[in-house]
Amino acid sequence: MDADPADQPRADAQALAVVQFAPHTDIDANLAALTERVRAAADQGARIVVAPEYSMFALGRLDERVHAAAQPIDGPFVTALARLAADTGVHLVAGVVETTTPDDGRIHNTLVVLGPDGALVTHYRKVHLYDAFGQRESDIVRPGPLTEPPVFTAAGLTFGLQTCFDLRFPEGFRRLAAAGAQVLLLPAQWIPGPGKVDQWATLLRARAIENTVYLAAADHCGPRGAGHSMIVDPAGRIVSELADEPGIALAPLEPELLDKVRRTNPSLSLRRFTVSAP
């Protein structure tokens, strides 16, 4: 039986990569590790590369050390990411520790998107903070403002941004899909624990299926993350996945497959409720 052409990767399909590594408290070492993987992903054909939440500076449990590590969004770490994006010709998405106002006492958990020209395309400050499983991210992190859905366009597709714990709040993903997102990107530091990998995979596939979108999730590997970075297609099929070691997962983005899934399952056009920020 012949396969449907829409189910086959196209040679000219734009490639999406998620990179998985183990950032810690040495910002220079984190940048070097990330640079190595972004360059490798670009060499493999990636045009959009997604790195984890807290790629700049990471702890198993946040404490006051993040205040000293925080930088403005135009600081040296993001400037280095901009050069890397320009050098490799990719759209690069990564999580940074961003300073807030001097009197706030907290930082922002921020995603930045750097374009292949080195420009800051957009950014997203995490809205849902990880006050769960015995952690209190809100003691250290200021929640981001409820702005317009964070989307950008690349490779002829529209991408939306969410971060880690946002995964447990489906309305944020639906807002992005309603705003036109066809690919949802989720940098994360998914803290390991009993059942956490099963929850991670289940929720990622659910967000892809219910919104008929590609979903790319970049996690930390152990010991500060659960690993299993993956790319899921609009039908919920895992098309590329890592285990718990540093690496790169790569997959083509196929507009024909996206269109086919949305014709077969027009759940976005059939919805009866809208989602908006309060």
Side-chain angles (χ1 to χ4, degrees), residues 187-208:
Q189 183 187 358
W190 197 258
I191 301 297
K196 292 292 292 294
V197 171
D198 285 342
Q199 293 175 22
W200 166 255
T202 298
L203 291 169
L204 290 172
R205 296 183 68 200
R207 298 294 88 86

Side-chain angles (χ1 to χ4, degrees), residues 83-237:
R83 287 196 298 268
L84 177 59
D87 288 347
T88 54
V90 304
H91 278 83
L92 174 58
V93 182
V96 303
V97 178
E98 183 193 1
T99 53
T100 59
T101 57
D103 59 348
D104 184 82
R106 291 179 289 178
I107 55 95
H108 276 306
N109 180 345
T110 302
L111 302 181
V112 293
V113 182
L114 290 315
D117 59 355
L120 179 66
V121 174
T122 191
H123 65 277
Y124 167 65
R125 296 178 175 120
K126 187 178 180 182
V127 168
H128 297 104
L129 301 184
Y130 187 55
D131 290 358
F133 296 93
Q135 304 249 6
R136 287 278 304 174
E137 190 177 29
S138 64
D139 289 344
I140 302 293
V141 178
R142 180 189 179 99
L146 300 179
T147 60
E148 291 299 308
V151 297
F152 67 97
T153 300
L157 294 169
T158 301
F159 295 76
L161 301 170
Q162 292 283 267
T163 307
C164 199
F165 195 54
D166 287 334
L167 181 60
R168 297 182 182 272
F169 301 85
E171 59 272 18
F173 290 77
R174 178 51 57 90
R175 264 187 96 218
L176 289 166
Q182 299 156 297
V183 187
L184 298 180
L185 308 179
L186 185 86
Q189 183 187 358
W190 197 258
I191 301 297
K196 292 292 292 294
V197 171
D198 285 342
Q199 293 175 22
W200 166 255
T202 298
L203 291 169
L204 290 172
R205 296 183 68 200
R207 298 294 88 86
I209 292 167
E210 67 199 9
N211 294 297
T212 55
V213 293
Y214 280 97
L215 203 154
D219 194 16
H220 295 221
C221 52
R224 288 170 292 280
H228 293 271
S229 300
M230 66 179 71
I231 300 170
V232 183
D233 79 9
R237 181 173 62 103

Side-chain angles (χ1 to χ4, degrees), residues 236-267:
R237 181 173 62 103
I238 298 173
V239 293
S240 189
E241 181 180 12
L242 299 171
D244 190 35
E245 298 298 321
I248 300 164
L250 191 79
L253 295 173
E254 303 174 69
E256 294 91 343
L257 175 60
L258 185 68
D259 291 343
K260 177 187 175 185
V261 170
R262 290 185 169 186
R263 287 194 307 270
T264 304
N265 173 27
S267 57

